[in-house]
Amino acid sequence: MLRATTEILRDLIAFPTVSSDSNLEMIAYIAQRLEVCNADVHLFTDPSGQKANLFATLGPPVDGGIVLSGHSDVVPVKDQDWTSDPFAMIERDGKLFGRGSCDMKGFIAATLAMAPRFAAAPLTRPLHFAFTYDEEVGCIGAGHLAASLEQMGVRPGVAIIGEPTEMRIIEGHKGCYEYTTRFQGLEGHGSAPDLGVNAVEYAVQYVARLLELKSQLRCMAPDGSPFDPPWTTVNVGAFSGGTVHNVIASKAQVDWEMRPVQNSDADFVKSDLNALCNDVLLPKMRDVFPEASIETEVVGEVDGLLPTPENEARRIVFELTGRNDAGVVPFGSEAGIFQKIGMDIVVCGPGSIEQAHKADEYVAIDQLNQCGKMLERLSAKLQP
C-alpha cells in the first residue's frame, strides 16, 4: 500500500496543476485509474473547458455514502527558492518533496492506491471520490461540484477532506472570503492634483478603513470561540496602482481577505465598506470625474466548517484512527461547502499545513503510512 501510494504521488506531482493552469491531464490520469477499478466516473468541466472536477463511486448506488475528497490544484512555485525541481518528487530523510506533496496530492495518492481494494470488497455503503479544481483561489471547483451533485440527486452522508492536518481530526475552521477591489480615477499631471482623481489615494483610505475594522474585530470574538486567534481576521494581501512619480494615478487595486468566525462579522465588514464607498469616497471622486468607480470582485466566499454536536464523520474517523479528540484550525478548506449540502464532515489528512505553499514542500512518509492504515480500516468498515 505505501509503495503504491508513493509511486502514484510521484505521478501526481509531475502534473503542474497550478491553479492558473489546466488540471485536465491529472484528472484524466485519476479517471483512468478509477475506471480500471470499475468505478462509475463523472467529469464536470468548467466554463472554459480547461479544468474539471471528478466524482466517482464504488459500491451500491444509494444515498448515505462516504466521500474521500481532495483538490487537484497547487499554488505557484514562481520566485520560491526550491532546492530541487518542484514537479519531480524526490525522497530524502523519510520525506517526499514536491509541490502538492502534502497539499494535497499525498491524500489523493493514498485514496487511489486503496481503490483496487475498495473495488474488490463487497461494499454495502457507497464510497465516493471527489477531486476538484481551483481550491487555492476560492474553492471554485467545490462549489460547482456541490451544485452538480444536487442536480444528479446524489446525497452522500459523510465526507473526509484530506487537507494536511498531521492526521489529526478537525471538526471546524473559519470561513475564507477573498476580494479584489478596483478604483477607477482620472489621470492627470502631478502638479495639478485638483484636476484629477487619484485612485491610489482613495485606495489608501479604503485600506486604512480595513485596518480599523481589523482592530475592531479583535474585540468582537464570540464567547467561547475555539479558534486561534478567536476573532475574525482581515488581511491586505496586495496593493497596486499608478505609474510614475509625477502622474496622478487613474487606477488602483487592493486584494484582501477576511476569515470570519461568524457570518455576522462578514456582514458587518461588507456593510461598513459599502457605506464608506457610497457615502464618502465615491461622492468626492465623482465631484471631479463622474465616471469614477469603485468595484469589488468576489473571488470567493467560502463558509467555515461549523462544529456540530452530532457528526457521523467524526465518529467514523475516531474509530478508524483510534483517536478520541477533535480540534479546529484557522485555515480554510472546501468542507463548509459540502457541509452546506447536508454532509457530516471532518478534515483529516497526511502532512503538515506548516509545509504547504512553501519551497521544498514535503510530506513525511510516516504520515502517508498512517493515512493508508486509516483507509484500510475504512475498507473493512464498509463491508458486511
Side-chain angles (χ1 to χ4, degrees), residues 167-171 314 317-318 321-328:
M167 296 305 295
R168 294 180 298 119
I169 300 166
I170 301 304
E171 63 177 348
R314 181 180 60 211
V317 181
F318 276 174
T321 62
R323 301 182 69 106
N324 61 5
D325 60 312
V328 300

Side-chain angles (χ1 to χ4, degrees), residues 1-331:
M1 171 67 181
L2 181 59
R3 178 177 295 181
T5 298
T6 301
E7 290 307 310
I8 294 170
L9 179 56
R10 186 185 304 278
D11 293 342
L12 296 180
I13 287 173
F15 295 108
T17 51
V18 176
S19 302
S20 58
D21 301 324
S22 175
N23 74 337
L24 293 182
E25 289 187 2
M26 177 174 160
I27 290 295
Y29 169 91
I30 293 172
Q32 189 274 331
R33 295 197 73 101
L34 292 173
E35 286 167 350
V36 166
C37 298
N38 294 316
D40 181 22
V41 178
H42 296 267
L43 303 183
F44 307 94
T45 55
D46 77 336
S48 74
Q50 295 304 304
K51 298 180 182 181
N53 291 319
L54 179 148
F55 187 80
T57 302
L58 292 169
V62 297
D63 292 344
I66 296 178
V67 177
L68 302 175
S69 178
H71 61 81
S72 64
D73 61 317
V74 298
V75 297
V77 298
K78 185 179 179 182
D79 298 326
Q80 290 189 333
D81 188 18
W82 284 74
T83 58
S84 61
D85 182 346
F87 297 110
M89 189 186 82
I90 64 168
E91 179 179 346
R92 186 172 65 246
D93 300 326
K95 302 168 184 174
L96 301 174
F97 292 82
R99 172 55 86 223
S101 54
C102 79
D103 186 23
M104 56 183 296
K105 293 181 177 181
F107 178 77
I108 295 174
T111 66
L112 294 178
M114 270 297 300
R117 297 197 197 182
F118 288 131
L123 303 182
T124 58
R125 184 174 186 177
L127 181 71
H128 306 290
F129 302 81
F131 303 129
T132 61
Y133 62 86
D134 283 359
E135 186 270 352
E136 298 289 5
V137 290
C139 296
I140 296 168
H144 292 166
L145 180 59
S148 298
L149 296 184
E150 291 193 303
Q151 291 172 5
M152 293 169 62
V154 177
R155 299 179 183 85
V158 165
I160 301 170
I161 313 293
E163 291 279 3
T165 67
E166 299 177 284
M167 296 305 295
R168 294 180 298 119
I169 300 166
I170 301 304
E171 63 177 348
H173 63 66
K174 296 181 181 181
C176 184
Y177 289 22
E178 297 180 336
Y179 305 95
T180 293
T181 301
R182 299 183 178 89
F183 297 77
Q184 177 64 58
L186 178 64
E187 192 173 72
H189 197 283
S191 64
D194 291 344
L195 299 181
V197 176
N198 194 315
V200 166
E201 293 181 2
Y202 285 97
V204 166
Q205 295 178 61
Y206 187 89
V207 170
R209 185 57 186 157
L210 274 172
L211 298 181
E212 292 174 2
L213 292 168
K214 180 178 180 177
S215 295
Q216 290 182 34
L217 289 165
R218 294 175 70 99
C219 304
M220 296 169 59
D223 292 340
S225 172
F227 298 104
D228 181 18
W231 54 80
T232 292
T233 59
V234 171
N235 180 63
V236 179
F239 186 109
S240 61
T243 53
V244 294
H245 299 76
N246 59 353
V247 174
I248 297 170
S250 64
K251 297 181 185 296
Q253 178 172 308
V254 180
D255 297 330
W256 62 281
E257 64 151 29
M258 59 178 160
R259 297 190 178 242
V261 298
Q262 51 192 354
N263 290 340
S264 59
D265 287 350
D267 294 339
F268 164 70
V269 169
K270 290 190 288 184
S271 176
D272 187 282
L273 292 172
N274 285 337
L276 172 69
C277 293
N278 294 328
D279 300 342
V280 179
L281 301 183
L282 277 172
K284 291 181 180 179
M285 297 169 74
R286 288 173 175 169
D287 277 348
V288 178
F289 180 51
E291 287 77 32
S293 63
I294 303 173
E295 297 181 352
T296 294
E297 174 191 355
V298 179
V299 177
E301 291 184 335
V302 182
D303 290 334
L305 173 62
L306 302 177
T308 57
E310 298 296 326
N311 185 335
E312 186 188 6
R314 181 180 60 211
R315 177 179 58 77
I316 288 173
V317 181
F318 276 174
E319 295 173 3
L320 299 179
T321 62
R323 301 182 69 106
N324 61 5
D325 60 312
V328 300
V329 290
F331 65 82

Side-chain angles (χ1 to χ4, degrees), residues 340-354:
K340 201 168 185 177
I341 61 171
M343 298 186 216
D344 286 352
I345 314 286
V346 293
V347 182
C348 181
S352 168
I353 197 67
E354 295 300 320

